[in-house]
Amino acid sequence: MDPIVILGAGLAGLSAAHFLQRPWRLIEKSERVGGLIKTEVIEGCAFDPTGHWLHLRDPEIKELVNTRWLPGQLVTIQRKAAIYSRGVFTRFPYQVNTHGLPAEVVAENLIGYVEAVYGEKGRELREREPRDFAEFILRYMGEGFAKNFMFPYNKKLWTVDPSELSAAWVGRFVPRPTLKEVVDGALGVGSDALGYNASFVYPREGGIESLARGILAHLKGGELSVNTEPTAIDWKTRKVTLSDGRTLGYSELLSTMSLPGLVRLVAKGASGVPDEVLAAAGRLRATTVTYVCVAARGKNPQPWHWIYLPEPEFKTYRIGSPSAVYAPLAPPDTSTFYVEYSHHGELSMAQAESYAVEDLVRSRMVNAAEDIFFARAREIPHAYVLYDNAYGPAKAEILRFLEHAGILTAGRYGQWEYSSMEDAILGGRACARRLNG
């Protein structure tokens, strides 16, 4: 009997292979497993593809990570994140930590919140579900928070106005503050423990990629092929054509590669796809993120693990510091950063590297441009899926066809979603359980 074929050896694909009780073949196009959790070492400095901090909630996954995949290898870290705006740092989340901002900004945020949540001005929005992300912000935070942080920051991150995005994705990612939390934050007695990532764990050695290596080391019952990618899928004959010239038969197919990319591969197969499915794949959009790996002379001038930058004079939306989070990620007396830019292909690597130096100095995360040892740009394609008006119907159209074709999908790319590392592991497990029967 043909094996179950898994396309992509990121966390979802590795998880599926781990939980499968039937023979599998794992196909990975790059030279090693991990997908987006590969750690790169540049001149002794370790960089993940931006912040990859692990949050474990599922009891089974937590047990696996702690006892089998990374036993005794996790350190627990309390988040130290901030917003840099109006020339000052305030603690994250912004909506419950406005103390330290100019008084008029604090007042604008407070009044806007009260009007939205309790006043006549916000009554219309309170009487129905938000139609889009902009209405979600106005409904639960008010015009002040929208103007001073939420609208400009999210436009940078998602590259479109919040009114063009659904509110369906927000879930645990966007905290909704209470009146007490907002007032306490304005008075300087607020908490920075709000939100899903207030604390997290991280591997003691090897960067976040050690998680992928830990899962791989315990895989049984299958075969891994690296430096190999699918070039076409024939869903009726259940065959995958590979870049090395082989044709691989499968009993079941699980894809963790990008959803639009999967549709294009199926379209290249002899059985093809309906025109409306191919058109739906063309309507799915995502941003590209260019992140710049930077190392600088000296210890971190600021204590922050990462900062958010809503204001337009900064091209970046977020700056993170691996060395501030976990000192062993950089050599002694060296600070490291990743500086992130979201776009649709219009930003060159050289531009991003230049902007990174400017943004680091202007935000006071680095003392002077002369302190910087290197700035090297890297790119993440389809980094953030856009939950726009086309998203829901287009994705549903594709998933209906894939169900008919007997193809499963999992992971951030396979499910075309905004999700965490643990979500990817859970998605792989769910697919494996379905295939185990």
Side-chain angles (χ1 to χ4, degrees):
M1 186 177 180
D2 288 328
I4 294 171
V5 170
I6 306 166
L7 302 180
L11 284 179
L14 290 168
S15 170
H18 172 87
F19 286 102
L20 276 172
Q21 296 167 5
R22 296 165 55 187
W24 49 264
R25 290 288 297 275
L26 186 54
I27 309 298
E28 171 55 44
K29 71 176 182 179
S30 69
E31 77 288 351
R32 64 191 197 271
V33 304
L36 265 187
I37 64 161
K38 292 189 178 75
T39 301
E40 179 183 12
V41 178
I42 305 173
E43 297 183 22
C45 303
F47 295 93
D48 302 326
T50 75
H52 274 74
W53 318 119
L54 190 58
H55 316 282
L56 297 172
R57 293 170 181 81
D58 181 89
E60 182 182 24
I61 303 304
K62 192 171 185 177
E63 177 77 7
L64 273 169
V65 173
N66 282 300
T67 64
R68 186 180 301 184
W69 294 340
L70 289 173
Q73 283 297 304
L74 294 179
V75 294
T76 300
I77 297 165
Q78 300 301 314
R79 179 190 67 202
K80 293 180 183 176
I83 293 88
Y84 187 73
S85 65
R86 307 298 177 112
V88 298
F89 292 103
T90 53
R91 292 184 301 167
F92 175 84
Y94 180 88
Q95 53 268 43
V96 296
N97 285 295
T98 55
H99 182 73
L101 289 166
E104 64 272 18
V105 176
V106 178
E108 190 173 37
N109 291 338
L110 278 171
I111 292 167
Y113 177 87
V114 171
E115 287 179 340
V117 179
Y118 301 101
E120 188 63 33
K121 195 172 183 179
R123 181 180 298 277
E124 181 193 345
L125 281 179
R126 293 199 300 274
E127 290 175 348
R128 58 177 170 80
E129 287 298 309
R131 296 191 185 109
D132 53 49
F133 185 35
E135 286 197 354
F136 174 91
I137 294 166
L138 292 170
R139 160 68 179 85
Y140 293 106
M141 295 168 223
E143 290 181 355
F145 284 118
K147 170 191 163 187
N148 292 314
F149 178 72
M150 293 298 294
F151 278 11
Y153 172 76
N154 281 287
K155 188 165 185 179
K156 272 195 202 180
L157 171 63
W158 300 100
T159 72
V160 298
D161 191 273
S163 63
E164 295 181 45
L165 298 175
S166 160
W169 64 274
V170 295
R172 68 184 185 275
F173 297 110
V174 183
R176 298 188 299 188
T178 64
L179 177 60
K180 183 179 188 309
E181 288 169 337
V182 171
V183 172
D184 284 350
L187 296 173
V189 293
S191 169
D192 57 3
L194 193 66
Y196 78 101
N197 61 356
S199 69
F200 49 89
V201 293
Y202 191 77
R204 196 179 303 278
E205 296 176 350
I208 196 60
E209 189 175 337
S210 63
L211 173 59
R213 290 195 296 266
I215 301 173
L216 177 64
H218 291 86
L219 289 185
K220 296 176 182 177
E223 182 181 332
L224 167 68
S225 296
V226 296
N227 292 315
T228 308
E229 60 183 311
T231 56
I233 298 169
D234 190 330
W235 60 273
K236 288 183 179 177
T237 62
R238 294 184 170 241
K239 294 186 185 301
V240 179
T241 304
L242 301 177
S243 56
D244 60 10
R246 290 178 295 158
T247 298
L248 192 62
Y250 64 84
S251 59
E252 306 284 355
L253 183 65
L254 169 59
S255 171
T256 70
M257 62 183 292
S258 81
L259 197 56
L262 172 64
V263 171
R264 289 191 289 271
L265 281 183
V266 179
K268 291 179 181 177
S271 303
V273 300
D275 289 344
E276 60 270 23
V277 175
L278 199 56
R283 291 195 294 274
L284 291 180
R285 296 195 295 157
T287 69
T288 295
V289 163
T290 296
Y291 66 99
V292 184
C293 303
V294 179
R297 180 184 298 105
K299 299 291 186 184
N300 285 74
Q302 306 295 340
W304 312 114
H305 296 162
W306 61 87
I307 64 170
Y308 302 88
L309 300 110
E311 294 171 339
E313 57 262 37
F314 297 97
K315 299 290 194 300
T316 180
Y317 61 88
R318 181 171 59 190
I319 297 173
S321 176
S323 61
V325 176
Y326 187 53
L329 292 173
D333 204 34
T334 301
S335 48
T336 55
F337 307 89
Y338 53 85
V339 189
E340 301 175 65
Y341 301 90
S342 197
H343 58 99
H344 293 278
E346 68 276 10
L347 181 68
S348 72
M349 296 282 205
Q351 283 176 314
E353 289 169 356
S354 175
Y355 290 155
V357 174
E358 295 172 9
D359 286 339
L360 280 165
V361 174
R362 190 181 291 123
S363 65
R364 294 157 44 200
M365 293 292 276
V366 166
N367 291 323
E370 294 74 28
D371 292 336
I372 291 176
F373 295 135
F374 62 77
R376 299 184 191 172
R378 303 290 186 263
E379 197 168 89
I380 303 173
H382 36 259
Y384 289 100
V385 168
L386 292 184
Y387 287 75
D388 57 15
N389 290 332
Y391 172 86
K395 180 176 170 179
E397 181 83 39
I398 293 168
L399 293 182
R400 277 194 299 270
F401 166 74
L402 293 177
E403 180 76 20
H404 170 70
I407 299 173
L408 295 177
T409 65
R412 183 173 176 129
Y413 290 164
Q415 279 291 301
W416 205 247
E417 64 185 10
Y418 179 46
S419 56
S420 70
M421 287 186 283
E422 187 183 43
D423 291 332
I425 297 172
L426 293 173
R429 183 183 70 179
C431 285
R433 287 178 173 171
R434 177 174 170 180
L435 294 170
N436 289 336

